Amino acid sequence: MQHSHPVDASSEAGSAQTDLRAQLANHENVLCTVLVDLSQQLRFSQGLLALTDRRLMARDPETGLWSSWPLPEKAPADSPPALFLRHFDHAGVGTLELHDGSGRLASWRFTLAANVQALRLLRLFEQQLAPAQGAAGDDIALCPLCDTVLPPDSDECPTCARELHTPPSTWVLLRLWRFAQPYQGQLLAGFLLTLASTAATLVPPYLTIPLIDDILIPFQNGQQIESWKVLAILGALLAAALVGWGLNWARTYLLALVSERIGADLRTATFDHLLELSLDYFGGKRTGDLMARIGSETDRINVFLSLHALDFATDVLMILMTAVILFSINPWLALVTLLPLPFIAWMIHAVRERLRTGFEKIDRVWSEVTNVLADTIPGIRVVKAFAQEKREAQRFRDANRHNLLVNDKLNKVWSLFTPTVSLLTEIGLLVVWAFGIWLVSKQQITVGVLTAFIAYIGRFYTRLDSMSRIVSVTQKAAAGAKRIFDILDHVSNVPEPASPVPMAPLQGRIEMTGLGFRYGNRAVIRGLDLSIKPGEMIGLVGHSGSGKSTLVNLICRFYDVTDGSISVDGTDIRRFTVADYRRNIGLVLQEPFLFFGTIAENIAYGKPGASRAEIVAAARAAHAHEFILRLPQGYDSLVGERGQGLSGGERQRISIARALLIDPRILILDEATSSVDTETEQEIQKALDNLVQGRTTIAIAHRLSTLRKADRLVVMDRGQVVEVGPHDELMAKQGAYWRLYEAQARQVDSEDADAEEGRIALVTSQARTAQRTGNV
């Protein structure tokens, strides 16, 4: 049965969570929520969809009324469910529909920002109706960043964590061997040095037996001791210390060098692989997260390899060799020494499972902090322009607080584990003292043997305690290695061909046949056919979202087509190597990107070996030479990050010079003049006229008047070509292009009229002011 409860319709998302609590029955647990931010008419509003362990609840985004559908009893495995949810998305809008045997009961729409939550609710809904049902939590917890209801027994927010994460396994560290393999000779030498240095450190405790039994106790009893015996034992102790120091220094230095090189190779391989991935990978990643993976994660692995892995190997060798010595001295006393081992091993196993997931979660939360920095610092001009310093500071504080909360939760576990291991080792030492004293009283061992035993046990328990502490470091390194291998394991959606076709000099003929492309479930281009002749200039026009930029991205092979093919000079572009193909394409973007460096270095970015004469010639053709010479150091003037210090038109002309220098056969102009004033546009247009000569050119322009020189205009609508032809021919047809042109002309006329009225008003005001001044 369906129930409704009136709620204030103006409530926002925060109050919706509060209203949800008011609707819950006693001991009813919330499993998942979805923020429904669209009405059925696709207007923005605030609603909520919640799944509990008893029912599905929904707050209408327009009326604020609550509805609920009780979850049916679990049906047999071979019968259809009484209730089921359907999920799909189209054109950036997600939909969840609730059905029973008779048809659809309700539906909810939302933007794809809530899609992760919706998928999780769908999965939990199916689990609730499945035979095996998990237990729910007892309380409702909210994410500190977005106030989303968290899953039971978890501090992982489904909204903030946009990816499905699997906990890292310690075995992932073994995959680092592919980077360590080139240094296996040095690693073997380091292991032998570790073995020798560990053996050297075990000599001094053994020498305490003759030192106490043959020298100290007889001397205390009044016996005469020969000096050479004392000097021999003390000399042996000094020699063992010096040999141990030398061996420790050699192995530490050698393995530190190797670990640094492994870390450097790991960073290089990760960055190289990152550059080979297609654009869709970067579209789903944050800059700060990728920077943290390549930077801090590899540093953490470096520290683990150079320090902690070495300590772990030393600890294992020390424990094994010490155990052998202890059993050789007195087996019964050795067995008593090993009593705490089973308890410590059990604790390590119990804690390792929590640390395994906790440290990867800490890494992801820390990436939230770096993401705020990566967003804010490059965009500091926008932040200051809109006076949003306090807002960005609050974002950083929220991310920092979230990081603190996750760390505090893990530290509760770790802070209890470490002292407990120390307590067990102290108790073990007391047991050995008691049993050893009893053996001495029974004259089964000497005082020297007991003293040596205590010395060995001190080293044994110290290493045991150190090994327990390394669990934390190992899990941190495993979490970092998993995040690194998440990049290395990702396969590019734009793969290199298995048998590439050699790239001959291109003529520039482009054929698109049955072209189709999808972003996820959303079809952007469908059944597109287009042929472009060598040296022809094509203008792409159409409304925003018609697929113009996507088509350009497919031609550049930033993405691979879903259906059909793109051929250049009769060869499918997927048969060329990606680098060889793109060297023949010049790209001028709407927002040109300049790197930190000199003007000359930016112009020569596509051709690093270009001479100064070639750079100057490209700048002259791009109409950039004059303003470059006006800079303090001319072509050697430094350009700030992303071109700070240069105007938009100047950055664009440098971008055109960069494209001219590589002399491409295919030229892509993506809104190259849309963000500059009219005078600057004329300068850029002169540069573009030099750039397009003799090249196959595909131009996207917001201002249709800039495409009059195009040989043909291609009008796109909803991913399809609707008209093709010259400007005059398309205007005569009075079709899609004519409507676009007329709409833009009316807008320009309106803007010109407003400007003329403003000019007349200004002249009139100045005349009146002059008249009043004359009267005075």
Side-chain angles (χ1 to χ4, degrees):
M1 180 178 292
Q2 183 172 332
H3 308 281
S4 297
H5 309 275
V7 180
D8 180 11
S10 63
S11 300
E12 296 181 352
S15 61
Q17 303 283 2
T18 305
D19 291 344
L20 172 62
R21 291 185 175 88
Q23 305 299 323
L24 297 177
N26 291 334
H27 306 294
E28 185 176 10
N29 302 313
V30 175
L31 304 180
C32 185
T33 62
V34 177
L35 295 175
V36 180
D37 52 2
L38 294 175
S39 68
Q40 292 298 324
Q41 292 74 33
L42 299 183
R43 296 188 180 95
F44 285 107
S45 56
Q46 293 292 344
L48 192 69
L49 185 62
L51 175 67
T52 74
D53 55 357
R54 303 180 187 180
R55 53 182 170 159
L56 182 67
M57 305 174 63
R59 181 181 184 272
D60 188 272
E62 292 185 317
T63 65
L65 296 176
W66 281 93
S67 304
S68 66
W69 295 265
L71 298 180
E73 296 293 331
K74 293 183 174 62
D78 56 349
S79 63
L83 286 179
F84 63 92
L85 281 172
R86 289 183 57 204
H87 169 272
F88 54 90
D89 64 84
H90 178 70
V93 176
T95 303
L96 274 176
E97 292 182 350
L98 180 65
H99 292 258
D100 64 2
S102 60
R104 188 177 69 179
L105 299 177
S107 67
W108 302 273
R109 295 187 174 186
F110 45 86
T111 63
L112 292 185
N115 202 43
V116 172
Q117 294 169 279
L119 291 173
R120 190 172 190 280
L121 184 140
L122 176 64
R123 178 170 58 83
L124 291 175
F125 183 85
E126 293 172 348
Q127 288 178 358
Q128 287 294 101
L129 302 183
Q133 179 183 10
D138 297 326
D139 300 317
I140 296 178
L142 298 180
C143 171
L145 291 181
C146 64
D147 291 331
T148 300
V149 176
L150 298 179
D153 301 324
S154 173
D155 58 2
E156 186 75 58
C157 175
T159 302
C160 299
R162 298 303 176 111
E163 299 177 357
L164 296 177
H165 301 282
T166 56
S169 169
T170 310
W171 297 107
V172 73
L173 292 173
L174 296 179
R175 297 185 62 185
L176 295 173
W177 174 247
R178 62 180 266 203
F179 298 97
Q181 196 168 7
Y183 310 99
Q184 53 187 343
Q186 294 94 318
L187 290 173
L188 177 60
F191 175 77
L192 295 177
L193 287 171
T194 300
L195 186 64
S197 64
T198 304
T201 57
L202 292 175
V203 171
Y206 200 84
L207 293 177
T208 58
I209 297 177
L211 184 63
I212 292 175
D213 290 344
D214 298 340
I215 295 178
L216 292 181
I217 292 179
F219 182 76
Q220 189 178 23
N221 293 332
Q223 297 181 18
Q224 188 66 29
I225 304 300
E226 296 181 4
S227 300
W228 68 269
K229 289 185 178 181
V230 178
L231 293 176
I233 294 176
L234 294 179
L237 288 171
L238 177 61
L242 291 176
V243 170
W245 171 81
L247 293 172
N248 269 320
W249 172 82
R251 59 116 187 192
T252 302
Y253 179 71
L254 177 62
L255 294 178
L257 290 179
V258 172
S259 67
E260 287 295 334
R261 280 151 180 77
I262 293 174
D265 293 344
L266 182 62
R267 275 192 296 271
T268 301
T270 305
F271 187 68
D272 288 347
H273 186 76
L274 195 66
L275 292 178
E276 294 173 359
L277 296 178
S278 56
L279 287 183
D280 65 332
Y281 179 83
F282 295 92
K285 300 294 180 182
R286 300 288 296 273
T287 302
D289 178 58
L290 295 177
M291 291 171 60
R293 295 193 194 197
I294 297 178
S296 59
E297 302 298 356
T298 52
D299 285 342
R300 178 179 293 174
I301 293 171
N302 264 1
V303 172
F304 172 77
L305 293 176
S306 61
L307 297 177
H308 303 296
L310 182 62
D311 291 341
F312 181 76
T314 305
D315 293 342
V316 171
L317 288 174
M318 178 70 79
I319 288 175
L320 292 177
M321 296 172 73
T322 303
V324 171
I325 294 174
L326 291 178
F327 275 99
S328 67
I329 295 175
N330 190 292
W332 291 108
L333 198 55
L335 286 174
V336 173
T337 303
L338 300 179
L339 279 178
L341 272 181
F343 300 100
I344 294 176
W346 175 81
M347 285 190 62
I348 290 175
H349 174 74
V351 171
R352 187 175 67 90
E353 189 64 27
R354 293 194 177 186
L355 296 180
R356 197 161 62 96
T357 57
F359 283 121
E360 194 203 11
K361 194 175 296 182
I362 285 175
D363 290 340
R364 297 199 306 271
V365 172
W366 176 248
S367 71
E368 295 174 8
V369 179
T370 56
N371 283 333
V372 175
L373 296 176
D375 290 343
T376 305
I377 294 175
I380 191 65
R381 178 175 292 185
V382 178
V383 173
K384 291 186 174 296
F386 289 91
Q388 293 300 307
E389 292 91 344
K390 292 184 178 179
R391 176 188 176 186
E392 295 302 327
Q394 185 61 43
R395 281 183 64 208
F396 186 83
R397 279 193 291 269
D398 291 342
N400 211 16
R401 186 176 70 252
H402 192 200
N403 177 62
L404 186 63
L405 291 174
V406 175
N407 275 277
D408 285 347
K409 184 174 181 179
L410 189 64
N411 287 335
K412 289 179 183 178
V413 177
W414 184 244
S415 60
L416 177 64
F417 171 72
T418 305
T420 304
V421 172
S422 299
L423 176 63
L424 289 174
T425 55
E426 291 293 333
I427 292 175
L429 188 61
L430 290 175
V431 172
V432 171
W433 268 110
F435 189 65
I437 292 172
W438 182 80
L439 290 177
V440 170
S441 67
K442 297 296 183 179
Q443 296 184 351
Q444 295 185 16
I445 61 172
T446 64
V447 174
V449 170
L450 178 59
T451 304
F453 232 95
I454 296 301
Y456 278 121
I457 289 171
R459 297 177 183 230
F460 181 87
Y461 282 151
T462 299
R463 295 298 183 178
L464 197 61
D465 187 53
S466 175
M467 283 185 65
S468 67
R469 294 172 189 271
I470 209 170
V471 173
S472 166
V473 180
T474 303
Q475 295 306 318
K476 286 181 180 179
K482 177 184 177 295
R483 283 164 57 79
I484 290 292
F485 283 110
D486 282 345
I487 297 177
L488 293 175
D489 292 340
H490 194 88
V491 179
S492 175
N493 290 340
V494 182
E496 294 283 357
S499 302
V501 173
M503 177 68 74
L506 292 184
Q507 297 177 3
R509 185 177 71 257
I510 303 176
E511 297 282 345
M512 287 168 264
T513 306
L515 205 62
F517 181 73
R518 304 173 66 88
Y519 283 113
N521 294 327
R522 183 165 59 98
V524 182
I525 293 180
R526 297 179 292 272
L528 188 146
D529 294 301
L530 183 63
S531 177
I532 304 175
K533 301 174 184 177
E536 186 179 18
M537 181 177 180
I538 294 293
L540 289 180
V541 299
H543 293 290
S544 296
S546 60
K548 304 185 299 296
S549 295
T550 301
L551 181 60
V552 164
N553 287 334
L554 293 175
I555 293 173
C556 293
R557 213 186 166 205
F558 294 146
Y559 303 95
D560 267 348
V561 298
T562 308
D563 301 302
S565 64
I566 301 176
S567 300
V568 174
D569 293 349
T571 303
D572 193 315
I573 62 174
R574 288 171 291 190
R575 300 188 62 191
F576 298 123
T577 61
V578 175
D580 287 346
Y581 172 65
R582 289 180 184 159
R583 287 192 188 101
N584 290 274
I585 297 177
L587 185 62
V588 180
L589 300 172
Q590 177 181 0
E591 296 180 3
F593 187 95
L594 300 185
F595 296 91
F596 186 88
T598 66
I599 296 285
E601 288 170 345
N602 272 280
I603 294 176
Y605 184 76
K607 189 179 179 182
S611 65
R612 180 56 62 96
E614 292 176 310
I615 293 172
V616 172
R620 285 183 183 276
H623 289 257
H625 181 68
E626 290 76 12
F627 85 79
I628 292 176
L629 292 182
R630 290 195 296 268
L631 296 175
Q633 282 82 37
Y635 283 86
D636 295 321
S637 298
L638 280 175
V639 176
E641 187 175 6
R642 303 194 182 192
Q644 297 294 328
L646 297 177
S647 70
E650 290 170 343
R651 291 198 297 268
Q652 191 62 282
R653 278 177 277 176
I654 291 177
S655 175
I656 293 172
R658 183 166 59 193
L660 272 166
L661 186 60
I662 65 173
D663 192 22
R665 296 305 307 153
I666 299 173
L667 180 63
I668 306 292
L669 305 176
D670 190 356
E671 302 276 9
T673 62
S674 65
S675 57
V676 296
D677 57 81
T678 304
E679 184 178 350
T680 305
E681 181 185 2
Q682 292 175 355
E683 288 294 320
I684 294 176
Q685 197 62 50
K686 294 177 184 177
L688 291 176
D689 291 342
N690 292 332
L691 182 58
V692 302
Q693 290 178 4
R695 296 181 173 88
T696 303
T697 304
I698 301 172
I700 302 174
H702 176 69
R703 299 168 185 169
L704 300 181
S705 58
T706 62
L707 294 177
R708 287 190 175 185
K709 295 181 180 180
D711 298 310
R712 284 188 299 161
L713 298 174
V714 176
V715 185
M716 296 187 64
D717 185 33
R718 298 182 182 181
Q720 294 179 318
V721 173
V722 294
E723 286 184 344
V724 179
H727 169 78
D728 295 336
E729 179 182 319
L730 295 181
M731 289 295 291
K733 284 184 178 180
Q734 295 192 357
Y737 177 76
W738 177 81
R739 289 191 294 271
L740 284 172
Y741 194 89
E742 288 297 313
Q744 194 170 101
R746 285 194 296 270
Q747 181 181 359
V748 171
D749 290 343
S750 176
E751 292 173 354
D752 291 344
D754 292 341
E756 182 65 19
E757 289 179 6
R759 189 184 65 81
I760 293 173
L762 178 62
V763 171
T764 304
S765 175
Q766 291 173 344
R768 289 175 179 173
T769 302
Q771 184 178 6
R772 286 196 300 270
T773 305
N775 292 336
V776 173

